[in-house]
Amino acid sequence: MSRVVAGRMTHRYEGELVVFHIGMQINKPWRPDLWLPVFAAMPKMLRELSADPGSGFLGYTLLLGSGGPYVVQYWSSAEKLYAYASNPSQEHRPAWARFNKTARKAPGAVGIWHETFVVERAESIFVSTKPMGLPAATEAVPITRHHDRARARIADGRMIATVPEAE
């Protein structure tokens, strides 16, 4: 179990950052035969990704929304996220095919949703919490006097390094 990190922390990360939200909505809770396999697929994917440093997967946070569970994932690039999603030899693609087959047999029993954000800038503050979110997925660093305010952290929070234009 992670311990509480005392003090004011933020994250540090340089490079492309993608935040991916994915979740399920349980529309017929009395039909676990339809939604439980969908629910059980995500932990397998998270274990697979966490064990592969080259996947581009940086970390995740599990949450519970109004319709069911969802996961906030952090990725080093959109291309690596797409590569994982479409690879038939990894957990996601077969799970997606199974979901679609089940959804055709029992429309509306369980829903899936996702949102993808390519982040240009990000700001974070965590005060006396266990590691979570961006600092857990990237690097947790103490907040310095210069970055005491959110405005200063977002101003310096550029994710994608500037590349000089070709002449």
Side-chain angles (χ1 to χ4, degrees):
M1 168 137 333
S2 298
R3 66 173 187 47
V4 170
V5 177
R8 295 161 46 93
M9 303 296 285
T10 188
H11 75 282
R12 178 172 40 216
Y13 182 74
E14 188 173 315
E16 183 175 356
L17 178 67
V18 174
V19 179
F20 181 69
H21 293 211
I22 185 165
M24 65 181 285
Q25 183 169 315
I26 301 169
N27 299 322
K28 295 183 179 178
W30 61 91
R31 293 294 311 266
D33 57 313
L34 299 173
W35 59 261
L36 196 56
V38 177
F39 179 82
M42 184 56 71
K44 294 175 189 173
M45 290 181 242
L46 294 172
R47 277 192 301 275
E48 177 179 64
L49 287 163
S50 296
D52 181 5
S55 67
F57 183 71
L58 300 173
Y60 67 94
T61 300
L62 297 170
L63 300 165
L64 185 59
S66 61
Y70 73 99
V71 183
V72 177
Q73 299 179 1
Y74 302 94
W75 289 79
S76 65
S77 79
E79 288 309 312
K80 289 186 177 186
L81 168 61
Y82 301 149
Y84 176 74
S86 62
N87 188 335
S89 66
Q90 292 184 291
E91 291 289 337
H92 175 267
R93 193 73 184 129
W96 181 241
R98 285 190 303 274
F99 169 76
N100 284 319
K101 185 176 178 181
T102 300
R104 281 191 294 276
K105 291 180 184 175
V110 61
I112 295 289
W113 62 271
H114 79 257
E115 301 173 345
T116 307
F117 307 90
V118 177
V119 180
E120 181 181 326
R121 294 179 189 268
E123 178 274 328
S124 64
I125 185 169
F126 294 78
V127 181
S128 298
T129 68
K130 294 178 181 181
M132 67 177 97
L134 278 171
T138 60
E139 178 185 7
V141 295
I143 293 177
T144 63
R145 194 176 104 147
H146 174 70
H147 290 102
D148 190 46
R149 301 269 188 220
R151 185 182 312 270
R153 290 190 302 275
I154 198 78
D156 289 347
R158 187 159 183 79
M159 293 290 148
I160 303 169
T162 305
V163 179
E165 292 185 28
E167 293 183 28

